[in-house]
Amino acid sequence: MIITLAWRNIWRNKMRSLVIIASVTAGLFAGIAILALYKGMMKSRIRTVIDTETGHLQVHAIGFTADQDPSLFISHQEDITRSLSTNQNIEAYTTRTITAGMVSTPSGSAGVSIMGIDPAEESRVSGLSKKMREGKMQWAGQTKGILIGKKLAKKLKLALGEKLVITMTDTADNLIAAAYRIQGIYQSANAPLDEVNVYVSKKDLQEMLGLQKQVHEIAIKLKKDEGLEEQLLQLQHAYPTASIESWKTLSPETSMMAGTVDTLSYIILIIILIALSFGIMNTMMMSILERRHEIGMMMALGMNRIKLLMLIMTETFLLTITGIPIAMLIGRIAANHYEKKGMDLSGMGRDMMESFGFETMIYPSYPADKMGFIILLVFCTALVSSILPIIKSLRMDPVSALQK
Amino acid sequence: METTVIDAHNISKTYDPTGIPVVAIRNVHMHIAKGEFVALVGPSGSGKTTLLNMIGGLDHPDSGQIIVNGTDITTLTQKGLVKFRLHNIGFVFQSFNLIPVLTAKENAEFIMLLQKEKKAKRDERIDLLFNQVGLMGKKNIRPAQLSGGQQQRVAVVRALASKPQFVLADEPTANLDSASAFNLLDMMAKLNKEENMTFVFSTHDQRVIERARRVITLVDGQIVSDQQ
């Protein structure tokens, strides 16, 4: 009886109830859209980190990542690479020789991370060849070749074919310098990395640093994201003298961002729902004041306070939750559409997004895993919105309510 | 042997809404037996509705005792009064007070639903009463589609459906035309006979007074006459 009566009561004033249901639907849809957008952005960001920056896993000598000391190379490099070559879960790996240095040109200088790479190996792990905007990813000619990021090129006013000088220290702590010709300019989705990472021939860099075939980094790309923790533990167990880390620790800002973005979207959703709760509360208060006489009559006939409380609460819940399936459906349709088509956000601040390492083309993803929590939040909204109307109705005295 | 349904002893009630005390009921003694058809009459402000509210457990007297079917309702808590009203008293209001979003049948079975009566029992009782009041064909119609007289008949069915100890009706014919009022009174008289149901009306409608078998007249909160 309570549910039937509550459902019919909310349709007494159709327009008023429809406005509230539409507001809840719009608010929830906005919340779902934000969650879908953020989820898409984070998926894209994580994909960028794995596919173009760190790979799934990286191996270093212990202490190397702290100050990039070239003498801290990986000691069991051949054992590790042999084992990786036969591992069925690994799609590709690449070895890198790395050191810190300074790029100098007539117009300025900048601190950089010099990555000695093998172009073919590198492309399989980081897809560097796909990021080339100008020139080619190969070392040719008399002068040593270098690939630099678009941001660094802009900062130092460098163009393809121009020369620059790199200064670094070798493994014996001697200061060395070499001239390089720009053979390619790349651009990734992460502008800050484009400003600091420069790529040269691994063989050349090893010679300059006084290394044989030693490398400082092995970047590994797995066939599936799901086996990450298992592979990490397996490698850490097999090579306890090396530092083996996953992208989550190599790119802590991305991992932290993934958690923060969820919290942020929940905060936005809660703010939307708080605003809606005032509308719901107001509608319910008006409805109760209009039915004062009727509520007094029901109390006179013997409806107890618990049943009255249940009636008002059910009305508030029905008014609030009716919008949930509609918002979920619209959210699903919209998310599916944009998941395929993508949303180009370049018009909303390409530089800002790139500076945070985000692609400007986002593929929103329906946050199905968060729907339970969203529904819980809506129920809480209904509960909070019903408090004042319940207090108002329970305080009614049947005798005075029955008097016109 | 005559069974007492309502026994009011020396009840008084004073209102003080504006700081000036107004005596609504003054030392009233009243005794109503099972199956009586009683009209409480008197001019406006004589205390009819106040007395009815106190007998119905909606209002508390300042002093005195009201014993309904052996229970002193002046000692009951608010919660106890709600339960008491639900199981012992049927109410008929001046402005019908049907719930507009429920059908005539749903309105009629409202109290039985609150009492958690089984559907079969509810259906049987409601059908019987709707037959008696001649509204069988209007069961599934909402109040807005019924005439005033029909709405008041549904209200009477609602009051009687749960077989209360007695029915209190506050000006039941005040909003009805003559024909509807006579129909309603005939119907209530019939139910009074057939169900041996006790009816207590507050009214100043001469048509109701003429049909009543006992007329209690109130003036300034005091009973000035009690005629069979």
Side-chain angles (χ1 to χ4, degrees):
Chain A
M1 178 190 68
I2 295 280
I3 294 171
T4 310
L5 188 55
W7 179 250
R8 290 186 195 171
N9 277 339
I10 67 171
W11 295 110
R12 283 181 186 217
N13 191 325
K14 286 190 183 71
M15 187 52 75
R16 190 169 64 195
S17 296
L18 278 173
V19 166
I20 283 296
I21 290 168
S23 309
V24 174
T25 306
L28 264 183
F29 171 71
I32 291 169
I34 290 166
L35 281 165
L37 190 66
Y38 281 169
K39 191 177 175 186
M41 281 171 79
M42 282 323 299
K43 268 173 85 174
S44 155
R45 173 70 194 126
I46 291 167
R47 210 62 272 151
T48 304
V49 167
I50 293 171
D51 293 345
T52 69
E53 293 172 17
T54 64
H56 284 99
L57 299 163
Q58 282 189 0
V59 183
H60 300 101
I62 290 168
F64 174 78
T65 44
D67 56 3
Q68 294 196 341
D69 179 352
S71 62
L72 291 173
F73 46 80
I74 299 166
S75 54
H76 299 93
Q77 176 199 335
E78 284 184 2
D79 286 350
I80 297 171
T81 52
R82 204 177 302 120
S83 147
L84 295 177
S85 304
T86 56
N87 190 325
Q88 296 297 310
N89 298 312
I90 290 168
E91 187 182 311
Y93 70 87
T94 185
T95 56
R96 295 168 185 152
T97 301
I98 303 170
T99 192
M102 178 77 80
V103 168
S104 305
T105 70
S107 58
S109 60
V112 290
S113 188
I114 307 150
M115 321 276 272
I117 58 163
D118 175 82
E121 262 186 13
E122 185 65 33
S123 285
R124 283 203 297 273
V125 175
S126 69
L128 184 60
S129 58
K130 290 177 198 161
K131 295 183 232 166
M132 298 307 296
R133 295 292 171 265
E134 289 178 63
K136 287 182 179 171
M137 191 184 166
Q138 61 183 40
W139 325 122
Q142 296 291 312
T143 316
K144 294 169 195 285
I146 189 168
L147 309 176
I148 65 167
K150 195 174 177 183
K151 187 142 191 205
L152 182 66
K154 195 177 171 187
K155 184 181 173 186
L156 297 177
K157 298 184 181 73
L158 289 166
L160 193 68
E162 288 184 346
K163 274 188 174 180
L164 52 80
V165 174
I166 288 189
T167 312
M168 64 191 109
T169 55
D170 64 12
T171 47
D173 282 342
N174 299 311
L175 195 64
I176 50 169
Y180 283 83
R181 188 178 296 280
I182 299 166
Q183 290 200 328
I185 296 175
Y186 70 90
Q187 185 183 19
S188 73
N190 193 335
L193 282 184
D194 292 359
E195 196 177 338
V196 295
N197 284 349
V198 297
Y199 297 91
V200 297
S201 157
K202 181 164 67 183
K203 195 164 168 286
D204 279 353
L205 188 61
Q206 283 167 338
E207 282 171 11
M208 285 183 69
L209 293 173
L211 295 168
Q212 300 298 313
K213 285 188 173 178
Q214 293 96 331
V215 294
H216 300 105
E217 184 172 280
I218 304 172
I220 304 161
K221 194 170 174 187
L222 302 176
K223 283 180 180 163
K224 288 178 184 171
D225 294 339
E226 288 73 30
L228 179 70
E229 299 301 325
E230 195 188 326
Q231 283 300 317
L232 176 67
L233 285 172
Q234 203 178 311
L235 285 170
Q236 281 173 338
H237 182 71
Y239 305 101
T241 54
S243 163
I244 302 164
E245 297 166 285
S246 74
W247 67 265
K248 290 177 187 172
T249 38
L250 292 163
S251 181
E253 73 286 357
T254 306
S255 186
M256 194 188 77
M257 217 185 284
T260 316
V261 155
D262 275 358
T263 312
L264 183 69
S265 35
Y266 285 140
I267 290 170
I268 294 171
L269 186 63
I270 288 167
I271 292 168
I272 293 170
L273 290 173
I274 288 172
L276 285 173
S277 71
F278 285 100
I280 299 164
M281 202 187 297
N282 183 48
T283 300
M284 284 307 299
M285 290 294 279
M286 282 168 71
S287 168
I288 280 162
L289 289 174
E290 283 167 5
R291 288 188 284 144
R292 187 181 145 79
H293 198 71
E294 188 179 305
I295 290 169
M297 177 274 294
M298 290 196 290
M299 291 168 94
L301 293 184
M303 183 179 239
N304 62 32
R305 282 167 196 269
I306 293 168
K307 284 207 170 69
L308 187 58
L309 179 148
M310 295 288 288
L311 178 67
I312 306 300
M313 196 178 271
T314 310
E315 280 181 37
T316 319
F317 267 80
L318 289 175
L319 196 60
T320 313
I321 65 171
T322 306
I324 295 179
I326 308 167
M328 282 169 76
L329 182 71
I330 301 171
R332 178 117 225 174
I333 293 167
N336 283 356
H337 174 74
Y338 285 106
E339 196 166 12
K340 285 178 197 150
K341 204 181 160 196
M343 278 177 98
D344 187 2
L345 302 182
S346 54
M348 292 170 65
R350 175 189 285 270
D351 290 348
M352 188 195 73
M353 288 189 75
E354 284 179 351
S355 68
F356 284 102
F358 286 100
E359 298 271 3
T360 50
M361 183 60 104
I362 301 296
Y363 296 88
S365 178
Y366 185 70
D369 55 325
K370 296 185 174 69
M371 283 303 140
F373 189 65
I374 291 176
I375 291 169
L376 183 71
L377 283 179
V378 178
F379 271 77
C380 290
T381 308
L383 188 68
V384 170
S385 309
S386 67
I387 293 172
L388 263 182
I390 284 170
I391 292 171
K392 183 81 186 167
S393 56
L394 292 186
R395 279 188 180 166
M396 273 186 200
D397 167 44
V399 175
S400 50
L402 279 166
Q403 286 167 355
K404 281 212 167 172
Chain B
M1 189 184 147
E2 180 184 82
T3 314
T4 302
V5 180
I6 301 162
D7 210 354
H9 291 283
N10 200 27
I11 55 170
S12 296
K13 179 81 181 175
T14 303
Y15 290 111
D16 193 3
T18 54
I20 304 160
V22 177
V23 179
I25 295 291
R26 197 192 304 261
N27 306 323
V28 165
H29 292 269
M30 193 171 68
H31 172 90
I32 295 172
K34 178 83 181 156
E36 282 201 90
F37 202 67
V38 184
L40 281 176
V41 301
S44 289
S46 60
K48 303 186 294 292
T49 301
T50 303
L51 183 58
L52 220 56
N53 283 343
M54 287 195 290
I55 295 167
L58 290 169
D59 211 349
H60 275 284
D62 295 335
S63 61
Q65 240 186 348
I66 301 168
I67 296 162
V68 176
N69 211 31
T71 304
D72 182 355
I73 64 168
T74 56
T75 62
L76 294 178
T77 59
Q78 202 57 42
K79 197 177 162 187
L81 275 173
V82 172
K83 199 172 172 187
F84 184 82
R85 287 199 299 268
L86 178 64
H87 292 281
N88 294 281
I89 308 169
F91 287 94
V92 177
F93 304 96
Q94 181 180 334
S95 49
F96 325 137
N97 281 348
L98 297 178
I99 300 168
V101 293
L102 299 181
T103 63
K105 180 180 180 269
E106 287 165 340
N107 265 291
E109 65 182 3
F110 185 76
I111 296 170
M112 294 182 88
L113 279 164
L114 291 177
Q115 291 175 337
K116 294 177 183 158
E117 289 288 3
K118 293 250 175 359
K119 189 178 183 306
K121 193 175 172 188
R122 290 197 316 261
D123 287 348
E124 189 191 346
R125 178 76 178 147
I126 298 299
D127 282 353
L128 175 76
L129 289 169
F130 266 79
N131 253 328
Q132 284 179 295
V133 302
L135 282 177
M136 202 56 189
K138 309 272 183 186
K139 268 198 316 185
N140 298 315
I141 286 174
R142 289 201 182 179
Q145 293 164 281
L146 296 171
S147 69
Q150 288 170 331
Q151 286 188 50
Q152 196 60 306
R153 276 192 271 167
V154 174
V156 172
V157 171
R158 178 177 66 188
L160 289 169
S162 60
K163 295 186 179 172
Q165 293 297 322
F166 60 93
V167 173
L168 295 178
D170 188 12
E171 308 270 7
T173 55
N175 287 339
L176 299 180
D177 57 54
S178 290
S180 301
F182 282 124
N183 275 339
L184 185 78
L185 289 167
D186 287 345
M187 185 201 83
M188 290 200 289
K190 188 177 151 203
L191 289 168
N192 170 250
K193 266 188 190 167
E194 286 175 3
E195 302 239 341
N196 194 30
M197 180 58 64
T198 313
F199 279 88
V200 182
F201 310 95
S202 77
T203 186
H204 48 246
D205 185 340
Q206 198 53 43
R207 297 167 301 190
V208 181
I209 297 164
E210 282 165 9
R211 300 289 179 107
R213 290 203 293 276
R214 181 180 167 194
V215 178
I216 298 170
T217 309
L218 280 167
V219 175
D220 293 335
Q222 283 183 304
I223 294 176
V224 293
S225 78
D226 187 348
Q227 292 173 318
Q228 291 287 336

